[in-house]
Amino acid sequence: TLYQDVSYTSTTDTAACRWDDFWDRYSLIEYCEVCLESQGGNCDGAPLMNAKHETIHQFMDIQLQAGVEHFCKVVCTNSVGREVEALSDGFIVDITPPIGGEISVAGIKKGSMTYLKPGEYLVGKLQSLEIDEESNIMQIMFGLGSSPGTDDVISFVDTHLATQWNFGEWNGTNIVYILVKVI
């Protein structure tokens, strides 16, 4: 039985396959071979390689095609030459990031800046985030920085996929930047 827990990956040059031990109570398993296939089959992602009696194999220096479904195939042979094979449910290489959204802040707008009065709550809201089917967004994080790209005022906080974050009552007078990471 192959483990079927991988749906998407972001790398095109490595892949790992893991499977349960195959067994044959009469003739014993001599060895197993493993390869990577695409929808066309025939081990075209990585050639059939001897995995001996291991139950995991790491493919290195391969060239997987983005957007194509790949499968891990394991073929085990017993001591009298009989074979059994199993094929995973597949995974897709996704190298496209989600399309960024806009961050809005409630307050008084003047040009590209938003102003808050002391005591108002600083709330950042992520809008218009376009997520492609295979991106599988795992977390959205909000931070606050004194310059773009640095979270030196308030470190990034995992919002558990919330698209809005309340930084609390704002009493500062400095310019700050709301930062968002989508992972």
Side-chain angles (χ1 to χ4, degrees), residues 105-110 113-117 120:
V105 179
I108 300 167
K109 302 254 189 246
K110 290 186 182 174
M113 302 291 286
T114 301
Y115 294 87
L116 296 175
K117 296 176 186 170
E120 289 185 311

Side-chain angles (χ1 to χ4, degrees), residues 89-120:
D89 65 341
F91 61 94
I92 296 174
V93 177
D94 177 16
I95 58 173
T96 59
I99 298 169
E102 301 170 358
I103 302 170
S104 64
V105 179
I108 300 167
K109 302 254 189 246
K110 290 186 182 174
S112 64
M113 302 291 286
T114 301
Y115 294 87
L116 296 175
K117 296 176 186 170
E120 289 185 311

Side-chain angles (χ1 to χ4, degrees), residues 31-109:
Y31 61 92
C32 291
E33 296 172 300
V34 60
C35 74
L36 291 175
E37 295 187 347
S38 67
Q39 293 169 328
N42 301 322
C43 296
D44 53 354
L48 207 55
M49 303 174 79
N50 192 338
K52 301 177 182 146
H53 291 284
E54 300 296 320
T55 58
I56 189 166
H57 184 79
Q58 179 79 28
F59 293 96
M60 306 293 283
D61 298 324
I62 56 177
Q63 296 298 316
L64 298 177
Q65 204 173 354
V68 172
E69 192 167 11
H70 299 277
F71 305 89
C72 178
K73 178 166 103 175
V74 176
V75 180
C76 291
T77 305
N78 67 11
S79 61
V80 295
R82 301 267 186 215
E83 294 181 346
V84 64
E85 77 176 47
L87 195 64
S88 72
D89 65 341
F91 61 94
I92 296 174
V93 177
D94 177 16
I95 58 173
T96 59
I99 298 169
E102 301 170 358
I103 302 170
S104 64
V105 179
I108 300 167
K109 302 254 189 246

Side-chain angles (χ1 to χ4, degrees), residues 55-182:
T55 58
I56 189 166
H57 184 79
Q58 179 79 28
F59 293 96
M60 306 293 283
D61 298 324
I62 56 177
Q63 296 298 316
L64 298 177
Q65 204 173 354
V68 172
E69 192 167 11
H70 299 277
F71 305 89
C72 178
K73 178 166 103 175
V74 176
V75 180
C76 291
T77 305
N78 67 11
S79 61
V80 295
R82 301 267 186 215
E83 294 181 346
V84 64
E85 77 176 47
L87 195 64
S88 72
D89 65 341
F91 61 94
I92 296 174
V93 177
D94 177 16
I95 58 173
T96 59
I99 298 169
E102 301 170 358
I103 302 170
S104 64
V105 179
I108 300 167
K109 302 254 189 246
K110 290 186 182 174
S112 64
M113 302 291 286
T114 301
Y115 294 87
L116 296 175
K117 296 176 186 170
E120 289 185 311
Y121 286 91
L122 177 58
V123 178
K125 186 174 184 179
L126 178 61
Q127 299 171 318
S128 306
L129 176 67
E130 293 182 30
I131 302 172
D132 57 355
E133 173 185 329
E134 66 273 2
S135 287
N136 197 20
I137 300 298
M138 301 302 286
Q139 62 187 158
I140 296 175
M141 302 174 78
F142 279 81
L144 205 58
S146 61
S147 64
T150 62
D151 62 337
D152 57 350
V153 176
I154 296 178
S155 296
F156 279 105
V157 176
D158 184 354
T159 66
H160 304 289
L161 299 178
T163 57
Q164 181 171 308
W165 188 255
N166 185 340
F167 290 97
E169 194 173 311
W170 183 248
N171 290 313
T173 56
N174 298 335
I175 294 175
V176 291
Y177 298 85
I178 293 179
L179 311 166
V180 178
K181 283 185 189 179
V182 178

